[in-house]
Amino acid sequence: MATLERDLRAPAAGRRFGFVLDRPEWLGPLMIAPAVLYIVAIVGLPFLLALYYSVSDISMGRRTLGFVGLKNFISVIPTSKFQTSLQNTFVFAIVSQVLVIILANILALALLKEFRGKWVVRLLLLLPWVAPISLGTIGWLWILDSIYSVINWTLEAFGLITADGWPMYLGKPYLAMGSVITVHVWRLLPLATVIILAGLTSIPKDIHDAAQVDGASFWRHHFQITVPLIRPILLVALLFGLVFAFTDMVVIFVLTRGGPYDTTQVLASLAFFTGIQGGDLAEGAAIAIFLFPLLLAVAFVFLRIARRSEVT
Amino acid sequence: MAGETVNRREFIKATGAGALATGLGANIIIPGRSHAAKKTLRILNWVHFVPAYDEWFNKKYVVEWGQKNDTEVTVDNIGIAGVNARAAAEVSAQKGHDLFLFNWPPPSFEEQTVDMKDVYAEIEKKVGKPIDLAIKSTYNPKTKKFYALSPSFTPDPVNYRKDLFTEVGLPNGPRTWDEVRVKGAEIKKKRGNPVGIGLANEIDTAMAMRTIMYSWGSHEQDEAGNLTLKSKQTLDAIKFVKALFQETMTDEVFTWDASSNNRAVVSGKVSLVLNAISTTRTAEKQDDPAMSKEIQLAKALRGPVRAIGLEHVMQCYVIWKFAENIDGAKKFLVDYVTNFRQAFVAGEFYDFPCFEKTVPDLQKLIANDPKAHPPDKYKVLDDVLKWATNVGYPGYATAAIDEIYGTWVLNVMFAKVAAGKATPEAALDEADAACRRIFGKWKEKGLV
């Protein structure tokens, strides 16, 4: 009797589980749950903590949090260091993203063509993305070093500069900003290229064929057919890049630490120096999340445009 | 097994043996575990600039100390860039190491650390008083608490090229900042070697700028901890640095990180830097000893008011309130400090004692180092305890002073003027406003 009950129960449980797998309204959330949990634990909770810190008086060695409202924001926003960092953040993010989108388009178009050694080019292209960023940036530190710069050694060897005329890539404000933007572009280019490449390959071939038959020039073809068709994915690439550029500090921390004289200091690095090096976690958090409303608005607008541009 | 039977006696024998093996087995097999579980002590040190020190500390000293004190000691080493972030993580988790080593005073962690008053007292009974620099770097006069204990510090002498300075008539190196300016300019003009005092967002610049300020009688704060940055002396110090940069240096100094000045002097590019003896030790380890013979050390340079130098690194141990073995950590510190001579030798004289009597033959040791060129190269440091001071001199290294240091306020002030991007007055106003705000914040938090 007991055996019979067991036999009847087992398929019933199996049927229940099978029922869940058969229902898309259950299966979807179930499959996405690990990712959601991961994001909540790794991104969501620290973000909420940062929000809370920014309106508190917490410091590095303190665990009690007194609520101070917007005091940290009101205190830090008028400072010249913050203003400079804010300005640098916009220059850094916008210039780097314009370059990334232009270069990624060119590379993606090139990689769409068939040529010998294409897989090697793809591999090389992906290297900056797969290598740890701190390691890659340390390589750049050597390339841009004031004594051992391989660029300057080469230029000098070819007689293009003299020994005492070496450009100090990290020592002049414009060169330093140019350097950190270059390294940031080098780092983000692979991701943008892969995203745009995916968009390009998804365009049906007959559309290109029709344009060719109609005699569209390369530029007309590209800007009036290809770009509008990949606009949603282009906007996603741009959104990723902008969020990275506005919130990341690794390149600047390794190369300049905000120098020379704060001309490459961005909000992310200022937040680190204030909160971790300086010990004022609350003010560091306030600096770090200052741009959050703006980024949220940008993300909302971009995703909305992307959704509207989707070809159905 | 079919047909085999187990009688009651055999069953009891077997199960009894099994129970014994399960319950007492570990004690029988491993005699060491027959007593109460061994105590543990977890230490976090940053990776020492002299690798031989870590070798001695991790593999010899703590092993022997652990055996003597029936304690299993583990040491974790991390890079200096991660020290503050790691400390913040441990505080946040309320879990981590029993002993945590900072390489600068950590006043903002005060509320999380055990008062070291009794440790200082215990050590004082054995080896006498600590130097003033140690107290100024680990004591908060406002809360009357020793938030850390400093066993040692690293001097920050002048490293100069003997061959170059001999050519301009100073074979024993410069003695004043004015000599650096005048003779440095002469060397740059004659031989192309600039002076190498950093003007970047990094710690060596932070130390060098304060050395100049203090030599000019300019300070971030007075002895009582009142902000005093805005003064004629600071303005004069800024003007001097501007002239020093224009006459003796190049834009290179704006690009530097903490190791750049080492590379610049060891590669033969610059004529003078301020740095710890890691520079000369690096030169000694080169295949070609030529540069090691040329790089010599000099005492703190004299400015208009005094000759004074900064500590380059301040070793500060804290014991977290949440540490699992507070007593063990205190005992370790007392023993480590009283035996500091071993550390001094193992670290190749990089770390000088904060308790002078722990290395009674210090003068003799540094006067004859077989690795040095010449063997008495380090003799110049024999009175370093008299001219080395702390960040925040003549006051204490408080949380406000620490934030000013960690956010490069003074580095930027000097660099902007040197680069011609701001007038001395405007840069000083800006820095003073930043310092005033930082002082205000920490006063409100009750730590200053």
Side-chain angles (χ1 to χ4, degrees), chain B residues 142-165:
Chain B
K142 165 104 178 169
T143 57
K144 312 224 177 303
K145 178 177 174 180
F146 284 96
Y147 54 82
L149 181 132
S150 183
S152 60
F153 75 99
T154 304
D156 197 25
V158 175
N159 294 236
Y160 70 97
R161 281 275 301 276
K162 191 174 175 65
D163 53 340
L164 298 175
F165 275 89

PDB file of all heavy atoms in Angstrom, chain B residues 142-165:
ATOM      1  N   LYS B 142      42.596  65.265  21.699  1.00  0.00           N
ATOM      2  CA  LYS B 142      41.202  65.641  21.955  1.00  0.00           C
ATOM      3  C   LYS B 142      40.482  64.532  22.752  1.00  0.00           C
ATOM      4  O   LYS B 142      39.775  64.806  23.720  1.00  0.00           O
ATOM      5  CB  LYS B 142      40.503  65.890  20.621  1.00  0.00           C
ATOM      6  CG  LYS B 142      39.013  65.929  20.673  1.00  0.00           C
ATOM      7  CD  LYS B 142      38.491  67.329  20.589  1.00  0.00           C
ATOM      8  CE  LYS B 142      36.966  67.316  20.590  1.00  0.00           C
ATOM      9  NZ  LYS B 142      36.392  68.594  20.768  1.00  0.00           N
ATOM     10  N   THR B 143      40.681  63.299  22.323  1.00  0.00           N
ATOM     11  CA  THR B 143      39.998  62.176  22.995  1.00  0.00           C
ATOM     12  C   THR B 143      40.904  61.487  24.014  1.00  0.00           C
ATOM     13  O   THR B 143      40.482  60.560  24.690  1.00  0.00           O
ATOM     14  CB  THR B 143      39.548  61.132  21.958  1.00  0.00           C
ATOM     15  OG1 THR B 143      40.694  60.707  21.219  1.00  0.00           O
ATOM     16  CG2 THR B 143      38.527  61.702  20.999  1.00  0.00           C
ATOM     17  N   LYS B 144      42.152  61.922  24.047  1.00  0.00           N
ATOM     18  CA  LYS B 144      43.166  61.367  24.950  1.00  0.00           C
ATOM     19  C   LYS B 144      43.322  59.854  24.757  1.00  0.00           C
ATOM     20  O   LYS B 144      43.359  59.084  25.703  1.00  0.00           O
ATOM     21  CB  LYS B 144      42.831  61.681  26.411  1.00  0.00           C
ATOM     22  CG  LYS B 144      42.464  63.133  26.662  1.00  0.00           C
ATOM     23  CD  LYS B 144      43.139  63.674  27.896  1.00  0.00           C
ATOM     24  CE  LYS B 144      42.852  65.153  28.127  1.00  0.00           C
ATOM     25  NZ  LYS B 144      43.220  66.033  27.024  1.00  0.00           N
ATOM     26  N   LYS B 145      43.414  59.468  23.508  1.00  0.00           N
ATOM     27  CA  LYS B 145      43.518  58.040  23.207  1.00  0.00           C
ATOM     28  C   LYS B 145      44.704  57.766  22.268  1.00  0.00           C
ATOM     29  O   LYS B 145      44.925  58.510  21.312  1.00  0.00           O
ATOM     30  CB  LYS B 145      42.219  57.590  22.533  1.00  0.00           C
ATOM     31  CG  LYS B 145      42.213  56.124  22.129  1.00  0.00           C
ATOM     32  CD  LYS B 145      40.875  55.717  21.541  1.00  0.00           C
ATOM     33  CE  LYS B 145      40.939  54.305  21.011  1.00  0.00           C
ATOM     34  NZ  LYS B 145      39.666  53.852  20.434  1.00  0.00           N
ATOM     35  N   PHE B 146      45.417  56.673  22.553  1.00  0.00           N
ATOM     36  CA  PHE B 146      46.425  56.180  21.620  1.00  0.00           C
ATOM     37  C   PHE B 146      45.702  55.226  20.670  1.00  0.00           C
ATOM     38  O   PHE B 146      45.422  54.086  21.033  1.00  0.00           O
ATOM     39  CB  PHE B 146      47.539  55.441  22.357  1.00  0.00           C
ATOM     40  CG  PHE B 146      48.503  56.342  23.059  1.00  0.00           C
ATOM     41  CD1 PHE B 146      48.349  56.634  24.408  1.00  0.00           C
ATOM     42  CD2 PHE B 146      49.570  56.898  22.380  1.00  0.00           C
ATOM     43  CE1 PHE B 146      49.250  57.474  25.067  1.00  0.00           C
ATOM     44  CE2 PHE B 146      50.467  57.737  23.023  1.00  0.00           C
ATOM     45  CZ  PHE B 146      50.309  58.030  24.375  1.00  0.00           C
ATOM     46  N   TYR B 147      45.384  55.704  19.476  1.00  0.00           N
ATOM     47  CA  TYR B 147      44.610  54.870  18.550  1.00  0.00           C
ATOM     48  C   TYR B 147      45.492  53.867  17.798  1.00  0.00           C
ATOM     49  O   TYR B 147      44.993  52.998  17.095  1.00  0.00           O
ATOM     50  CB  TYR B 147      43.821  55.736  17.567  1.00  0.00           C
ATOM     51  CG  TYR B 147      44.660  56.735  16.812  1.00  0.00           C
ATOM     52  CD1 TYR B 147      45.367  56.370  15.689  1.00  0.00           C
ATOM     53  CD2 TYR B 147      44.750  58.058  17.241  1.00  0.00           C
ATOM     54  CE1 TYR B 147      46.142  57.286  15.002  1.00  0.00           C
ATOM     55  CE2 TYR B 147      45.515  58.984  16.563  1.00  0.00           C
ATOM     56  CZ  TYR B 147      46.213  58.593  15.445  1.00  0.00           C
ATOM     57  OH  TYR B 147      46.980  59.509  14.769  1.00  0.00           O
ATOM     58  N   ALA B 148      46.810  54.016  17.914  1.00  0.00           N
ATOM     59  CA  ALA B 148      47.740  53.091  17.238  1.00  0.00           C
ATOM     60  C   ALA B 148      49.040  53.064  18.028  1.00  0.00           C
ATOM     61  O   ALA B 148      49.211  53.815  18.997  1.00  0.00           O
ATOM     62  CB  ALA B 148      48.001  53.557  15.810  1.00  0.00           C
ATOM     63  N   LEU B 149      49.930  52.179  17.608  1.00  0.00           N
ATOM     64  CA  LEU B 149      51.268  52.153  18.202  1.00  0.00           C
ATOM     65  C   LEU B 149      52.282  52.135  17.069  1.00  0.00           C
ATOM     66  O   LEU B 149      52.144  51.365  16.113  1.00  0.00           O
ATOM     67  CB  LEU B 149      51.460  50.919  19.078  1.00  0.00           C
ATOM     68  CG  LEU B 149      52.838  50.878  19.745  1.00  0.00           C
ATOM     69  CD1 LEU B 149      52.709  50.561  21.230  1.00  0.00           C
ATOM     70  CD2 LEU B 149      53.777  49.887  19.083  1.00  0.00           C
ATOM     71  N   SER B 150      53.247  52.999  17.196  1.00  0.00           N
ATOM     72  CA  SER B 150      54.244  53.078  16.123  1.00  0.00           C
ATOM     73  C   SER B 150      55.577  52.504  16.575  1.00  0.00           C
ATOM     74  O   SER B 150      56.258  53.105  17.406  1.00  0.00           O
ATOM     75  CB  SER B 150      54.418  54.534  15.693  1.00  0.00           C
ATOM     76  OG  SER B 150      55.312  54.582  14.618  1.00  0.00           O
ATOM     77  N   PRO B 151      55.962  51.356  16.044  1.00  0.00           N
ATOM     78  CA  PRO B 151      57.259  50.795  16.428  1.00  0.00           C
ATOM     79  C   PRO B 151      58.421  51.465  15.704  1.00  0.00           C
ATOM     80  O   PRO B 151      59.543  51.499  16.200  1.00  0.00           O
ATOM     81  CB  PRO B 151      57.159  49.326  16.011  1.00  0.00           C
ATOM     82  CG  PRO B 151      56.123  49.287  14.956  1.00  0.00           C
ATOM     83  CD  PRO B 151      55.210  50.454  15.163  1.00  0.00           C
ATOM     84  N   SER B 152      58.129  52.015  14.509  1.00  0.00           N
ATOM     85  CA  SER B 152      59.247  52.536  13.716  1.00  0.00           C
ATOM     86  C   SER B 152      58.780  53.542  12.674  1.00  0.00           C
ATOM     87  O   SER B 152      57.590  53.656  12.403  1.00  0.00           O
ATOM     88  CB  SER B 152      59.932  51.377  12.977  1.00  0.00           C
ATOM     89  OG  SER B 152      59.005  50.741  12.129  1.00  0.00           O
ATOM     90  N   PHE B 153      59.731  54.237  12.114  1.00  0.00           N
ATOM     91  CA  PHE B 153      59.441  55.168  11.019  1.00  0.00           C
ATOM     92  C   PHE B 153      60.584  55.111  10.013  1.00  0.00           C
ATOM     93  O   PHE B 153      61.659  54.599  10.312  1.00  0.00           O
ATOM     94  CB  PHE B 153      59.288  56.603  11.550  1.00  0.00           C
ATOM     95  CG  PHE B 153      60.598  57.242  11.917  1.00  0.00           C
ATOM     96  CD1 PHE B 153      61.238  58.124  11.062  1.00  0.00           C
ATOM     97  CD2 PHE B 153      61.210  56.937  13.121  1.00  0.00           C
ATOM     98  CE1 PHE B 153      62.461  58.696  11.385  1.00  0.00           C
ATOM     99  CE2 PHE B 153      62.439  57.506  13.470  1.00  0.00           C
ATOM    100  CZ  PHE B 153      63.054  58.382  12.598  1.00  0.00           C
ATOM    101  N   THR B 154      60.326  55.639   8.833  1.00  0.00           N
ATOM    102  CA  THR B 154      61.347  55.631   7.784  1.00  0.00           C
ATOM    103  C   THR B 154      61.807  57.056   7.527  1.00  0.00           C
ATOM    104  O   THR B 154      60.976  57.931   7.250  1.00  0.00           O
ATOM    105  CB  THR B 154      60.754  55.047   6.490  1.00  0.00           C
ATOM    106  OG1 THR B 154      60.247  53.761   6.793  1.00  0.00           O
ATOM    107  CG2 THR B 154      61.777  54.948   5.388  1.00  0.00           C
ATOM    108  N   PRO B 155      63.097  57.299   7.623  1.00  0.00           N
ATOM    109  CA  PRO B 155      63.593  58.669   7.362  1.00  0.00           C
ATOM    110  C   PRO B 155      63.435  59.061   5.894  1.00  0.00           C
ATOM    111  O   PRO B 155      63.334  58.200   5.029  1.00  0.00           O
ATOM    112  CB  PRO B 155      65.076  58.590   7.740  1.00  0.00           C
ATOM    113  CG  PRO B 155      65.231  57.349   8.532  1.00  0.00           C
ATOM    114  CD  PRO B 155      64.175  56.403   8.050  1.00  0.00           C
ATOM    115  N   ASP B 156      63.434  60.343   5.662  1.00  0.00           N
ATOM    116  CA  ASP B 156      63.251  60.871   4.304  1.00  0.00           C
ATOM    117  C   ASP B 156      64.393  61.843   3.986  1.00  0.00           C
ATOM    118  O   ASP B 156      64.185  63.055   3.852  1.00  0.00           O
ATOM    119  CB  ASP B 156      61.901  61.616   4.265  1.00  0.00           C
ATOM    120  CG  ASP B 156      61.408  61.835   2.846  1.00  0.00           C
ATOM    121  OD1 ASP B 156      61.789  61.068   1.960  1.00  0.00           O
ATOM    122  OD2 ASP B 156      60.625  62.787   2.636  1.00  0.00           O
ATOM    123  N   PRO B 157      65.610  61.304   3.855  1.00  0.00           N
ATOM    124  CA  PRO B 157      66.755  62.218   3.654  1.00  0.00           C
ATOM    125  C   PRO B 157      66.861  62.713   2.220  1.00  0.00           C
ATOM    126  O   PRO B 157      66.092  62.300   1.352  1.00  0.00           O
ATOM    127  CB  PRO B 157      67.946  61.323   3.994  1.00  0.00           C
ATOM    128  CG  PRO B 157      67.506  59.958   3.605  1.00  0.00           C
ATOM    129  CD  PRO B 157      66.017  59.903   3.856  1.00  0.00           C
ATOM    130  N   VAL B 158      67.835  63.567   1.997  1.00  0.00           N
ATOM    131  CA  VAL B 158      68.141  64.046   0.647  1.00  0.00           C
ATOM    132  C   VAL B 158      69.011  62.997  -0.033  1.00  0.00           C
ATOM    133  O   VAL B 158      69.976  62.505   0.558  1.00  0.00           O
ATOM    134  CB  VAL B 158      68.915  65.382   0.718  1.00  0.00           C
ATOM    135  CG1 VAL B 158      69.343  65.843  -0.661  1.00  0.00           C
ATOM    136  CG2 VAL B 158      68.090  66.436   1.434  1.00  0.00           C
ATOM    137  N   ASN B 159      68.645  62.616  -1.245  1.00  0.00           N
ATOM    138  CA  ASN B 159      69.483  61.720  -2.060  1.00  0.00           C
ATOM    139  C   ASN B 159      70.066  62.575  -3.178  1.00  0.00           C
ATOM    140  O   ASN B 159      69.303  63.075  -4.015  1.00  0.00           O
ATOM    141  CB  ASN B 159      68.646  60.611  -2.697  1.00  0.00           C
ATOM    142  CG  ASN B 159      68.056  59.646  -1.694  1.00  0.00           C
ATOM    143  OD1 ASN B 159      68.266  58.447  -1.766  1.00  0.00           O
ATOM    144  ND2 ASN B 159      67.278  60.142  -0.747  1.00  0.00           N
ATOM    145  N   TYR B 160      71.382  62.766  -3.191  1.00  0.00           N
ATOM    146  CA  TYR B 160      71.953  63.645  -4.218  1.00  0.00           C
ATOM    147  C   TYR B 160      73.060  62.934  -4.983  1.00  0.00           C
ATOM    148  O   TYR B 160      73.651  61.965  -4.491  1.00  0.00           O
ATOM    149  CB  TYR B 160      72.500  64.933  -3.583  1.00  0.00           C
ATOM    150  CG  TYR B 160      73.744  64.718  -2.744  1.00  0.00           C
ATOM    151  CD1 TYR B 160      75.014  64.938  -3.275  1.00  0.00           C
ATOM    152  CD2 TYR B 160      73.641  64.278  -1.437  1.00  0.00           C
ATOM    153  CE1 TYR B 160      76.153  64.731  -2.519  1.00  0.00           C
ATOM    154  CE2 TYR B 160      74.781  64.050  -0.666  1.00  0.00           C
ATOM    155  CZ  TYR B 160      76.034  64.277  -1.213  1.00  0.00           C
ATOM    156  OH  TYR B 160      77.168  64.052  -0.465  1.00  0.00           O
ATOM    157  N   ARG B 161      73.332  63.438  -6.185  1.00  0.00           N
ATOM    158  CA  ARG B 161      74.407  62.882  -7.010  1.00  0.00           C
ATOM    159  C   ARG B 161      75.714  63.572  -6.653  1.00  0.00           C
ATOM    160  O   ARG B 161      75.914  64.749  -6.946  1.00  0.00           O
ATOM    161  CB  ARG B 161      74.074  63.105  -8.484  1.00  0.00           C
ATOM    162  CG  ARG B 161      73.065  62.133  -9.056  1.00  0.00           C
ATOM    163  CD  ARG B 161      73.725  60.849  -9.537  1.00  0.00           C
ATOM    164  NE  ARG B 161      74.726  61.129 -10.558  1.00  0.00           N
ATOM    165  CZ  ARG B 161      74.436  61.276 -11.858  1.00  0.00           C
ATOM    166  NH1 ARG B 161      73.201  61.145 -12.276  1.00  0.00           N
ATOM    167  NH2 ARG B 161      75.395  61.528 -12.732  1.00  0.00           N
ATOM    168  N   LYS B 162      76.605  62.796  -6.037  1.00  0.00           N
ATOM    169  CA  LYS B 162      77.864  63.367  -5.554  1.00  0.00           C
ATOM    170  C   LYS B 162      78.704  63.943  -6.701  1.00  0.00           C
ATOM    171  O   LYS B 162      79.263  65.038  -6.583  1.00  0.00           O
ATOM    172  CB  LYS B 162      78.656  62.292  -4.801  1.00  0.00           C
ATOM    173  CG  LYS B 162      79.848  62.828  -4.042  1.00  0.00           C
ATOM    174  CD  LYS B 162      80.491  61.736  -3.217  1.00  0.00           C
ATOM    175  CE  LYS B 162      81.762  62.225  -2.548  1.00  0.00           C
ATOM    176  NZ  LYS B 162      81.514  63.283  -1.560  1.00  0.00           N
ATOM    177  N   ASP B 163      78.760  63.222  -7.824  1.00  0.00           N
ATOM    178  CA  ASP B 163      79.578  63.692  -8.941  1.00  0.00           C
ATOM    179  C   ASP B 163      79.089  65.050  -9.452  1.00  0.00           C
ATOM    180  O   ASP B 163      79.885  65.971  -9.694  1.00  0.00           O
ATOM    181  CB  ASP B 163      79.593  62.659 -10.070  1.00  0.00           C
ATOM    182  CG  ASP B 163      78.196  62.239 -10.514  1.00  0.00           C
ATOM    183  OD1 ASP B 163      77.242  62.428  -9.734  1.00  0.00           O
ATOM    184  OD2 ASP B 163      78.063  61.721 -11.640  1.00  0.00           O
ATOM    185  N   LEU B 164      77.779  65.198  -9.560  1.00  0.00           N
ATOM    186  CA  LEU B 164      77.226  66.446 -10.098  1.00  0.00           C
ATOM    187  C   LEU B 164      77.400  67.602  -9.117  1.00  0.00           C
ATOM    188  O   LEU B 164      77.749  68.716  -9.501  1.00  0.00           O
ATOM    189  CB  LEU B 164      75.750  66.265 -10.444  1.00  0.00           C
ATOM    190  CG  LEU B 164      75.435  65.226 -11.530  1.00  0.00           C
ATOM    191  CD1 LEU B 164      73.929  65.058 -11.691  1.00  0.00           C
ATOM    192  CD2 LEU B 164      76.066  65.634 -12.865  1.00  0.00           C
ATOM    193  N   PHE B 165      77.139  67.345  -7.852  1.00  0.00           N
ATOM    194  CA  PHE B 165      77.268  68.428  -6.861  1.00  0.00           C
ATOM    195  C   PHE B 165      78.740  68.772  -6.588  1.00  0.00           C
ATOM    196  O   PHE B 165      79.048  69.899  -6.226  1.00  0.00           O
ATOM    197  CB  PHE B 165      76.504  68.080  -5.579  1.00  0.00           C
ATOM    198  CG  PHE B 165      75.045  68.458  -5.664  1.00  0.00           C
ATOM    199  CD1 PHE B 165      74.111  67.561  -6.161  1.00  0.00           C
ATOM    200  CD2 PHE B 165      74.607  69.732  -5.305  1.00  0.00           C
ATOM    201  CE1 PHE B 165      72.780  67.913  -6.282  1.00  0.00           C
ATOM    202  CE2 PHE B 165      73.274  70.094  -5.428  1.00  0.00           C
ATOM    203  CZ  PHE B 165      72.345  69.178  -5.918  1.00  0.00           C
TER     204      PHE B 165
END
